[in-house]
Amino acid sequence: MHASLDGQHLSGAERLVEHFDSVEDELICMLHRALQHPRGSADRISLQVDEIPCEEKLTGNLLDFSGYLVGNWEQGRILACHLLTEAGVSLGAASCSLEYLANGAAPGGSSMRGAMLVDAQSGERLEKDQTRGVRVSRMDVTKVVREQLHRCLAEHGLDNSHVIEALILASKVVSAPEIVAELCWSDDPDYQAGYVASSASGYQRINLLKPLGEERGGRAFFVRPGSADLAGLIQYLEKTPLLIDRIGKIDRGITWSGQV
Ligand code: AMP
């Protein structure tokens, strides 16, 4: 689903539905989502439905979830840089990617529509189109896992669509063997949290990664140096259906002391 208001992007979401009978209900949920968006009711909504042959579908597991609580966004960025280097990203690549996101990674200094691909050692940007970037798609959790996730996140006051969708997306991204880690913060001016994800450390939410009111956000996918098949990686991220059928651990927020 893509929805816009006054020509501006408002909302977008997708689902992988296991049973044909559920398609109609999911479409109605999407319509509600577009019409009841906190920033207004959409005046243009596009819905697209594609059949996916069962044999094309992969299954996988959701990343473990942990939360860090910092006192301000500047501390949050120091922590993000630390977590990225722990995951195997060079300090140079981590710092320059944080700067790209902070300044708007698309030409002209706005947010990209998708993610940057960044060489985890040199920091070189590898995506062909710096406005569109790489758009991860075709991933979801099963109905059972979605219900478990709602319940577990609710216990920590984190049962919201930002967290759920980002956790699903990050789980697909770091399942690619070429990816070392991901960094993200939202372009929603009211949502200051973000995360660093990697297959070894899971999804690490940081409560503050940008100032309130900041519209620039984005994602960086750090690619293992020397990964030759970038086209194959992009094909996996954008086109391969992945249905996540196993939930990970969900840990409480821990306060970060600022010591690295
Ligand atoms: P959001 O978390 O939806 O606020 O998105 C934050 C940023 O991540 C956006 O500004 C885009 O740069 C990027 N982004 C959003 N959706 C995707 C996606 N499906 N694949 C890759 N990057 C995305």
Side-chain angles (χ1 to χ4, degrees), residues 111-115 134-137 139 162 169 184-188 217-219 221:
S111 299
M112 296 170 71
R113 296 204 302 282
V134 176
R135 298 254 336 149
V136 190
S137 181
M139 63 283 172
H162 277 291
L169 186 147
C184 166
W185 69 78
S186 176
D187 51 26
D188 178 339
R219 285 186 154 86
F221 300 159

Side-chain angles (χ1 to χ4, degrees), residues 15 97 140 147 149 151 155 175 184 196 199 218 222 224 238:
R15 288 279 179 275
S97 298
D140 205 345
E147 278 159 14
L149 195 53
R151 236 179 297 121
E155 282 172 25
S175 73
C184 166
V196 169
S199 56
F222 294 91
R224 222 168 280 292
E238 296 196 336

Side-chain angles (χ1 to χ4, degrees), residues 2-213:
H2 291 284
S4 54
L5 175 60
D6 297 330
Q8 297 287 319
H9 170 81
L10 183 67
S11 171
E14 65 175 65
R15 288 279 179 275
L16 277 183
V17 179
E18 291 157 274
H19 303 292
F20 189 74
D21 297 351
S22 325
V23 171
E24 199 175 314
D25 287 348
E26 288 295 347
L27 285 171
I28 291 168
C29 287
M30 291 289 179
L31 267 182
H32 285 171
R33 196 167 157 153
L35 292 171
Q36 290 163 8
H37 196 276
R39 281 189 279 137
S41 185
D43 59 13
R44 183 180 201 111
I45 305 168
S46 311
L47 295 165
Q48 181 181 330
V49 182
D50 296 315
E51 183 179 330
I52 294 175
C54 280
E55 59 277 14
E56 278 182 23
K57 186 196 76 185
L58 301 177
T59 56
N61 51 306
L62 211 54
L63 287 175
D64 290 345
F65 176 100
S66 54
Y68 283 93
L69 300 173
V70 293
N72 55 50
W73 62 266
E74 291 92 336
Q75 254 187 5
R77 290 195 188 167
I78 294 170
L79 173 60
C81 195
H82 170 64
L83 296 176
L84 286 169
T85 54
E86 258 188 359
V89 176
S90 76
L91 182 57
S95 329
C96 72
S97 298
L98 280 155
E99 217 162 288
Y100 278 131
L101 293 196
N103 296 332
S110 54
S111 299
M112 296 170 71
R113 296 204 302 282
M116 301 188 279
L117 278 186
V118 179
D119 182 297
Q121 183 57 41
S122 68
E124 185 193 347
R125 282 177 70 173
L126 305 170
E127 75 280 7
K128 286 217 176 71
D129 178 341
Q130 296 196 344
T131 301
R132 178 183 182 276
V134 176
R135 298 254 336 149
V136 190
S137 181
R138 298 198 161 197
M139 63 283 172
D140 205 345
V141 285
T142 58
K143 208 168 167 212
V144 173
V145 169
R146 188 172 289 275
E147 278 159 14
Q148 288 173 329
L149 195 53
H150 281 307
R151 236 179 297 121
C152 295
L153 289 173
E155 282 172 25
H156 306 298
L158 288 171
D159 181 18
N160 64 66
S161 59
H162 277 291
V163 172
I164 294 177
E165 274 157 29
L167 179 56
I168 296 171
L169 186 147
S171 299
K172 181 173 188 192
V173 171
V174 306
S175 73
E178 298 87 348
I179 297 289
V180 175
E182 178 190 352
L183 164 70
C184 166
W185 69 78
S186 176
D187 51 26
D188 178 339
D190 300 324
Y191 192 73
Q192 294 175 271
Y195 62 88
V196 169
S198 68
S199 56
S201 300
Y203 179 102
Q204 298 159 295
R205 179 177 191 266
I206 301 173
N207 62 326
L208 296 171
L209 268 180
K210 67 172 200 179
L212 193 64

